[in-house]
Amino acid sequence: MTSTEAPAPNDIRDTPIVGIIMGSQSDLKIMGAAAELLRQFAIPYEITLVSPHRTPHRMVEYAESARKRGLRVIIAGGGGAAHLPGMVAAFTTIPVIGVPINSTTSIRGIDSVLSMLQMPVGVPVATVAIDAATNAAVLATQILGLSNARLADVLEKYRSSLKDKVMRTIDELRKGGFNDDI
């Protein structure tokens, strides 16, 4: 395999296959949740700053080189006008998952959500809830799990752990005198 070829679908290794990008260091407190889940799932990722306004050439280079570098999914956080996810999607054909970030505006991230949802035909951005970087990592894992049995299994175990947590909480409520009629 030459250095410009993407890894085979089942070839999960140390080369990043998910890119996590954000326009500002202040977004790291949100986007770090995606990195943490990918780390738990043993999915190689990279995380960096790519500002569509302050470093537009870097953004274009990042997006255009993503596939050749082996990335299969990009998780892009954006606050305010949230240009980063949509602009990156315009320069690559790999899936881009947008994470709207709650900005300091009076509409608390709704502007970011709308920016990501209103993409033109042919340039979609899969969009999760405001500040939901963990769900972006889950969605990235679902996409990768379509061609990787280990990741599909990791997701099954993750979902099962979520169910187990709810069931433990129900048991704790019952022990505390609350009844569950479900």
Side-chain angles (χ1 to χ4, degrees):
M1 175 167 61
T2 67
S3 62
T4 60
E5 291 178 323
N10 287 314
D11 181 22
I12 302 295
R13 55 196 179 153
D14 291 336
T15 302
I17 58 173
V18 177
I20 301 172
I21 58 176
M22 65 212 88
S24 173
Q25 184 178 357
S26 63
D27 299 338
L28 185 57
K29 63 183 175 248
I30 301 300
M31 299 304 289
E36 176 58 26
L37 193 68
L38 294 174
R39 186 192 62 71
Q40 287 176 23
F41 289 172
I43 297 173
Y45 67 90
E46 63 186 27
I47 186 166
T48 192
L49 297 179
V50 181
S51 173
H53 304 111
R54 294 176 291 245
T55 61
H57 296 291
R58 175 176 163 75
M59 180 203 63
V60 172
E61 180 181 322
Y62 185 91
E64 287 182 338
S65 69
R67 182 182 295 281
K68 288 180 183 176
R69 293 184 299 108
L71 295 182
R72 296 188 193 140
V73 180
I74 296 172
I75 300 172
H83 290 122
L84 182 60
M87 289 305 299
V88 168
F91 287 100
T92 188
T93 57
I94 67 173
V96 175
I97 302 169
V99 178
I101 295 178
N102 183 353
S103 58
T104 58
T105 67
S106 63
I107 52 179
R108 302 180 186 247
I110 299 296
D111 47 348
S112 303
V113 171
L114 295 175
S115 176
M116 293 177 202
L117 292 177
Q118 295 299 323
M119 292 299 297
V121 171
V123 190
V125 171
T127 306
V128 296
I130 296 168
D131 293 346
T134 299
N135 266 355
V138 171
L139 182 55
T141 305
Q142 288 175 315
I143 292 167
L144 296 168
L146 291 171
S147 60
N148 184 285
R150 182 190 72 81
L151 294 180
D153 187 50
V154 163
L155 271 176
E156 288 291 330
K157 289 177 182 170
Y158 175 73
R159 292 271 179 94
S160 182
S161 74
L162 296 176
K163 175 187 169 192
D164 292 346
K165 183 177 177 181
V166 170
M167 296 310 293
R168 282 191 305 274
T169 302
I170 291 169
D171 287 343
E172 290 171 12
L173 287 172
R174 285 183 182 143
K175 288 176 185 172
F178 295 99
N179 246 341
D180 175 30
D181 294 330
I182 298 174

